[in-house]
Amino acid sequence: MGNLLKGFAALFSGINVIAGIFAGISAISSIGSGVAQQQAFNTEADALEEQGKLQQAEAEEEAIRTAKENKALRKKKALLYNFAGVTLAGSPMLVLQTQVTEDLKEETSIVNRGKAQNRLARKRADIARNKGRAAIVGGIGQGTGTLARLFA
């Protein structure tokens, strides 16, 4: 009967070693998964920031093009007034000044839209980075929990 107990003890000791190995592998896997997720979220965040910068730059270029087009249109209107024999005083001048104000509002709006898109992209990037940090912390916590259950 003593040999039988020694056999069971050896068997359970071997099972504990195997369980420990699997727990270690599981812990490492959990941590590795968290690290991989963090890297993926950081890559996404970098892409979002780049996209925001591009959107802002495109909006600024669009505003410049719009300003040039608006200026050319105002010049054309002024020339048409002159060809028609209308002086640029009174109502015609008021129309052109109003047009300048409206054009500036449009150009400013385009630039502000680009800035807002860039801010939104940066906020989304911050969220992605936070998700990455949470993923790695979760992976470490899960791995630590696996090991703690083994030794409990």
Side-chain angles (χ1 to χ4, degrees), residues 28 38 82 85 92:
I28 290 169
Q38 182 186 34
N82 283 334

Side-chain angles (χ1 to χ4, degrees), residues 79-121:
L79 284 174
L80 290 173
Y81 281 137
N82 283 334
F83 285 140
V86 178
T87 60
L88 291 179
S91 294
M93 185 58 129
L94 183 60
V95 167
L96 288 176
Q97 287 174 340
T98 302
Q99 189 63 50
V100 167
T101 302
E102 292 302 314
D103 291 349
L104 287 174
K105 285 180 185 177
E106 179 185 15
E107 295 153 19
T108 302
S109 175
I110 292 169
V111 170
N112 288 341
R113 183 191 72 223
K115 288 179 181 178
Q117 288 172 328
N118 190 14
R119 278 192 305 274
L120 178 62

Side-chain angles (χ1 to χ4, degrees), residues 129-146:
R129 283 196 178 86
N130 288 338
K131 286 180 179 179
R133 282 189 280 277
I136 196 164
V137 168
I140 291 169
Q142 189 175 4
T144 304
T146 300

Side-chain angles (χ1 to χ4, degrees), residues 36-97:
Q37 287 178 1
Q38 182 186 34
Q39 289 171 344
F41 280 120
N42 285 345
T43 299
E44 178 184 353
D46 292 343
L48 286 167
E49 286 179 341
E50 188 61 31
Q51 180 184 21
K53 289 175 188 175
L54 288 173
Q55 287 174 323
Q56 184 173 352
E58 287 172 358
E60 289 168 358
E61 289 174 15
E62 181 183 348
I64 290 168
R65 281 192 308 274
T66 300
K68 287 178 182 178
E69 290 169 4
N70 289 342
K71 186 175 182 179
L73 185 59
R74 288 192 309 269
K75 282 183 179 180
K76 185 176 180 181
K77 283 182 183 180
L79 284 174
L80 290 173
Y81 281 137
N82 283 334
F83 285 140
V86 178
T87 60
L88 291 179
S91 294
M93 185 58 129
L94 183 60
V95 167
L96 288 176
Q97 287 174 340

